[in-house]
Amino acid sequence: MFEETRFEKIHNVIFQDSTEASILVAQEIAALIRDKEKQNKPCVLGLATGSSPIKVYEELVRMHREEGLSFANVITFNLDEYLPMDKGNIQSYFYFMHEHLFNHIDILEEHINIPDGSVSSEDLYQYCIDYEMKIKAAGGLDFQLLGIGRTGHIGFNEPGSHYNSSTRSITLDHITRVDAAPAFLGIENVPRKAITMGIGTVLSAKRIVLLGWGGNKAEILKETIEGEITPEVPATYLQNHDNTSFIIDEAAASELTRVKTPWLVTNCVWNDDLKLKAVVWLSELTEKPFLKLTDKDYNNNGMSGLLTEEGTAYDLNIKMFNKLQHTITGWPGGKPNADDTNRPERATIPKKRVIIFSPHPDDDVISMGGTFDRLVEQGHEVHVAYQTSGNIAVSDEEALKFAEITQSLCPECEETAAIISFLKNKTDHDIDSVEVRKLKGLIRRSESLGATRYFGLDDANVHFLDLPFYETGTIKKNNISQEDIDIMCDIISTIKPHQIYAAGDLADPHGTHKVCLDALFESLKVLKTESYMDDCWVWLYRGAWHEWESYQIEMAVPMSPDQVLRKRHAIFYHQSQKDGVMFQGGDSREFWVRAEDRNRLTAKKYNDLGLSEYAAIEAFKRYHF
Ligand code: F6R
């Protein structure tokens, strides 16, 4: 254990699941509150906003409702607030905290402290001093909850922050503003400044717990936990605090040395998956294809134990080469009448029923357009099920265009007139009316049908599920409900598929893709015992942003240059998502460019490892349920 963590400078615990981890953190907070209550003392909590602590707050609310946990002795200090920002604004941290926690517990209003984003610039300096004094007067922070930004910020202490800093105003880093852009419907609406507790303020807490979920946090967590202390990554200052724990999930831990390359820190128990992971890593490190790796390469890179088990590099290289080679197939639905011993899919059931689940109406073609095309061409009964309407990603201008066309065709239609009037008078804070959302959803439906018809799919095989969790009209979605699961179960039990494809996107644990995946997993749990499910295999593709690592891929579907063009064409049908889309994120490439770059890169990686050279490859990993 100690050997494994030899690169790590901060205590951390890795959980498989962020919900389970959040519950444990909530239990620690609850125990502290009760303990202080017994001592008749206030419990002073430093709190964070953002996606990371949401489930902790949910659990605290549940404990209040169901287990009588009282917050009467709790005093809270929030880390930060945008500047300028009104309390009434739904983007404010004031609003966030009330929505997720304060409105649902018995905390006294006068015990809640959140930096005031509406304070005037003349009063700001004194305001920050007063905030610090108030924390001290309350007895100091007993517990500080933190998230971490991709810049390494804690609170809004961006790179450059001093370890002794106290509450102050700060200019937000560009990356932080990019990450906040979806919530503000565009980076131009994200404030440039914030008030934040300082590093010194945070470090003064008696106990600190930092939460990190999802692959997006993996790089910065590695730097924070394993790197040197530097103002360029302010979270590294936490290395100096002797009662800090990082609670992270597997995806967020994936870059830590002990997780990513365990053979460098310990004697591994080698199974075939770990062997492939290690050999891919070695091949990339040495820039040599599998079949050119030597005993010396293995011995010099912490893998002598593996060689002892396997005999020689020669045997191991061939074994791993074959393993990877067997993932490649031009027959994603299985090759009829072929020997399938070494193929990713079964040759049996030559004509398979297939459901492609697509979280938004375009993930199907972006992430697996080539495979989709092949499945149809190879005669399988393919169904596409769009899980959400995707309506919030259609811009008002796009919606207005269609509304005006409709009005020209049908001037009397009152619904259209209402839509046009709503869109023309809409302000930044307005949530789309039900009619506008309907129109936006319909736009995405028509685009999807354009793409599926292009692939030769019958309209009857295209299903729009409009899962209810998504239909809030805002970025913040509802939790998954029984209704969502029922809808998923319904389509699976009607089609009785032999193959299910779904987006296995775990990078953003609160994003729509993850909820859609959870909805699938829940429905699989329900249907698991049905006899037709014995024949059902589930394949996960990744979303628009990431690809499986080479060692994780279990089915690699190569594409010819012509097939790449067909895929591009299918993506083009999604016109509302072209050019500067609403949820662009930090990557300014259009979706079709991203998709092509990603598929080309996968092909290149396979080629670099010593396998055949293809124009592009789509990748899948099997999910066993
Ligand atoms: C929020 C805060 C920030 C966030 C960080 C991570 O009050 O201070 O440091 O904790 O930006 O944000 P999420 O959790 O949304 O990834």
Side-chain angles (χ1 to χ4, degrees):
M1 184 67 195
F2 290 121
E3 189 189 29
E4 278 184 44
T5 55
R6 91 177 127 98
F7 288 105
E8 299 181 5
K9 297 160 186 155
I10 297 181
H11 172 249
N12 62 84
V13 191
I14 304 169
F15 287 82
Q16 210 184 358
D17 175 60
S18 62
T19 307
E20 182 199 349
S22 300
I23 290 174
L24 282 178
V25 173
Q27 282 168 352
E28 179 176 340
I29 297 173
L32 183 69
I33 295 174
R34 290 193 174 112
D35 190 47
K36 289 277 180 175
E37 189 182 58
K38 266 194 218 133
Q39 299 174 39
N40 243 330
K41 287 189 182 155
C43 179
V44 185
L45 301 178
L47 298 179
T49 54
S51 61
S52 308
I54 289 178
K55 286 183 186 162
V56 173
Y57 297 149
E58 253 173 47
E59 177 63 8
L60 287 173
V61 169
R62 191 201 63 75
M63 286 169 150
H64 169 68
R65 286 201 179 129
E66 295 174 18
E67 295 168 12
L69 175 67
S70 170
F71 291 76
N73 69 325
V74 172
I75 302 177
T76 62
F77 289 90
N78 261 82
L79 280 165
D80 40 22
E81 178 60 280
Y82 291 108
L83 193 68
M85 182 56 75
D86 286 339
K87 289 185 179 139
N89 192 322
I90 53 170
Q91 322 291 0
S92 74
Y93 285 170
F94 183 92
Y95 182 89
F96 177 101
M97 287 309 299
H98 284 79
E99 167 106 347
H100 288 278
L101 185 65
F102 299 145
N103 287 347
H104 316 287
I105 56 175
D106 62 339
I107 188 165
L108 300 174
E109 197 59 38
E110 59 271 27
H111 284 177
I112 298 173
N113 299 281
I114 303 173
D116 181 357
S118 63
V119 67
S120 69
S121 47
E122 300 84 66
D123 296 339
L124 190 59
Y125 180 70
Q126 190 56 46
Y127 179 84
C128 293
I129 295 177
D130 292 347
Y131 200 73
E132 285 286 325
M133 299 304 284
K134 217 170 170 188
I135 296 174
K136 289 206 177 79
L141 300 166
D142 293 308
F143 184 104
Q144 177 64 56
L145 193 61
L146 295 176
I148 184 168
R150 282 197 301 140
T151 57
H153 70 213
I154 46 176
F156 274 140
N157 292 284
E158 297 287 17
S161 294
H162 194 259
Y163 78 96
N164 238 346
S165 51
S166 54
T167 303
R168 68 203 187 289
S169 69
I170 191 152
T171 301
L172 295 176
D173 201 274
H174 178 68
I175 296 178
T176 300
R177 295 183 66 238
V178 166
D179 285 350
F184 283 87
L185 297 180
I187 189 159
E188 62 283 4
N189 305 321
V190 182
R192 292 183 180 276
K193 288 181 174 281
I195 305 181
T196 181
M197 277 187 196
I199 295 289
T201 330
V202 171
L203 291 178
S204 73
K206 297 176 190 80
R207 164 85 173 135
I208 299 176
V209 171
L210 183 144
L211 310 171
W213 318 130
N216 284 343
K217 300 288 170 75
E219 287 284 349
I220 196 66
L221 281 169
K222 179 196 163 70
E223 273 183 67
T224 304
I225 294 172
E226 298 188 4
E228 295 303 320
I229 297 179
T230 161
E232 288 316 303
V233 183
T236 55
Y237 291 129
L238 294 169
Q239 292 179 15
N240 278 339
H241 189 272
D242 56 13
N243 195 12
T244 291
S245 296
F246 281 17
I247 305 295
I248 57 185
D249 66 7
E250 283 177 355
S254 59
E255 287 295 324
L256 294 181
T257 304
R258 74 171 144 134
V259 176
K260 191 171 184 180
T261 50
W263 48 89
L264 293 180
V265 283
T266 187
N267 286 328
C268 296
V269 179
W270 293 99
N271 58 29
D272 269 5
D273 288 346
L274 190 62
K275 283 178 203 166
L276 184 61
K277 183 177 179 182
V279 179
V280 167
W281 173 84
L282 186 62
S283 165
E284 286 170 356
L285 182 83
T286 56
E287 295 181 9
K288 289 182 181 179
F290 279 8
L291 298 178
K292 285 189 178 168
L293 292 170
T294 62
D295 286 3
K296 195 169 160 216
D297 293 324
Y298 284 96
N299 288 331
N300 285 351
N301 290 289
M303 288 155 71
S304 51
L306 176 58
L307 265 199
T308 319
E309 264 182 47
E310 292 291 324
T312 63
Y314 182 82
D315 295 328
L316 178 58
N317 292 347
I318 291 188
K319 196 166 148 186
M320 290 301 118
F321 178 87
N322 285 336
K323 189 168 158 64
L324 207 60
Q325 172 71 37
H326 295 155
T327 63
I328 303 176
T329 182
W331 298 82
K335 186 170 186 184
N337 306 319
D339 173 7
D340 59 9
T341 327
N342 287 318
R343 290 176 174 276
E345 251 298 348
R346 300 149 291 175
T348 50
I349 324 171
K351 185 176 166 175
K352 293 192 171 64
R353 287 186 299 276
V354 178
I355 304 180
I356 299 173
F357 282 111
S358 178
H360 299 98
D362 65 357
D363 292 306
D364 53 339
V365 285
I366 290 174
S367 293
M368 56 169 289
T371 307
F372 183 168
D373 198 18
R374 273 187 192 247
L375 286 164
V376 177
E377 187 198 312
Q378 290 169 358
H380 300 287
E381 181 188 319
V382 179
H383 295 259
V384 184
Y386 296 105
Q387 290 172 282
T388 70
S389 68
N391 55 17
I392 61 165
V394 177
S395 69
D396 292 341
E397 295 73 27
E398 189 76 2
L400 190 59
K401 176 171 89 186
F402 284 94
E404 286 177 343
I405 295 171
T406 316
Q407 196 176 45
S408 311
L409 291 172
C410 175
E412 300 80 35
C413 177
E414 287 176 14
E415 199 180 2
T416 311
I419 289 175
I420 293 176
S421 149
F422 181 93
L423 287 170
K424 286 192 167 162
N425 296 309
K426 187 175 164 184
T427 70
D428 283 351
H429 301 327
D430 287 335
I431 294 174
D432 281 342
S433 65
V434 175
E435 294 78 21
V436 171
R437 274 187 254 160
K438 184 171 148 199
L439 171 64
K440 290 183 171 180
L442 287 173
I443 292 172
R444 298 210 68 180
R445 280 191 181 204
S446 301
E447 293 173 344
S448 302
L449 286 167
T452 52
R453 284 174 195 159
Y454 174 67
F455 279 163
L457 205 65
D458 199 295
D459 287 358
N461 289 17
V462 183
H463 311 266
F464 296 98
L465 305 186
D466 291 346
L467 292 182
F469 85 85
Y470 183 88
E471 297 302 318
T472 57
T474 67
I475 305 287
K476 185 172 178 289
K477 305 298 187 302
N478 291 326
N479 284 339
I480 168 176
S481 71
Q482 192 55 46
E483 213 184 332
D484 297 303
I485 299 167
D486 289 347
I487 293 172
M488 291 290 289
C489 285
D490 194 44
I491 183 155
I492 297 174
S493 57
T494 308
I495 294 170
K496 302 187 174 51
H498 304 106
Q499 279 193 328
I500 287 176
Y501 289 86
D505 220 322
L506 304 168
D508 171 10
H510 299 282
T512 297
H513 283 212
K514 176 66 166 59
V515 185
C516 286
L517 187 62
D518 285 344
L520 172 66
F521 288 169
E522 289 304 317
S523 57
L524 292 176
K525 274 189 209 154
V526 176
L527 299 173
K528 206 177 159 138
T529 50
E530 301 291 332
S531 60
Y532 59 85
M533 290 306 276
D534 294 346
D535 282 333
C536 180
W537 285 21
V538 176
W539 291 100
L540 300 179
Y541 57 87
R542 288 197 106 181
W545 311 91
H546 299 277
E547 188 50 277
W548 298 114
E549 299 290 339
S550 311
Y551 66 86
Q552 294 175 312
I553 297 172
E554 289 175 275
M555 178 157 73
V557 182
M559 292 155 77
S560 67
D562 281 351
Q563 287 165 326
V564 172
L565 288 181
R566 277 182 64 77
K567 171 169 172 167
R568 183 190 301 180
H569 200 108
I571 298 174
F572 280 173
Y573 280 95
H574 295 275
Q575 281 176 354
S576 70
Q577 304 304 302
K578 273 184 65 60
D579 272 339
V581 295
M582 292 180 71
F583 299 107
Q584 186 81 43
D587 186 338
S588 58
R589 290 172 301 166
E590 281 194 37
F591 286 121
W592 68 271
V593 183
R594 277 188 231 180
E596 283 183 18
D597 286 352
R598 158 184 165 187
N599 296 156
R600 206 179 301 118
L601 183 65
T602 310
K604 180 173 181 320
K605 283 187 178 172
Y606 262 52
N607 188 224
D608 290 346
L609 297 172
L611 293 129
S612 309
E613 188 174 352
Y614 293 101
I617 287 181
E618 287 178 344
F620 303 87
K621 185 171 159 51
R622 197 168 157 204
Y623 174 73
H624 298 267
F625 59 95

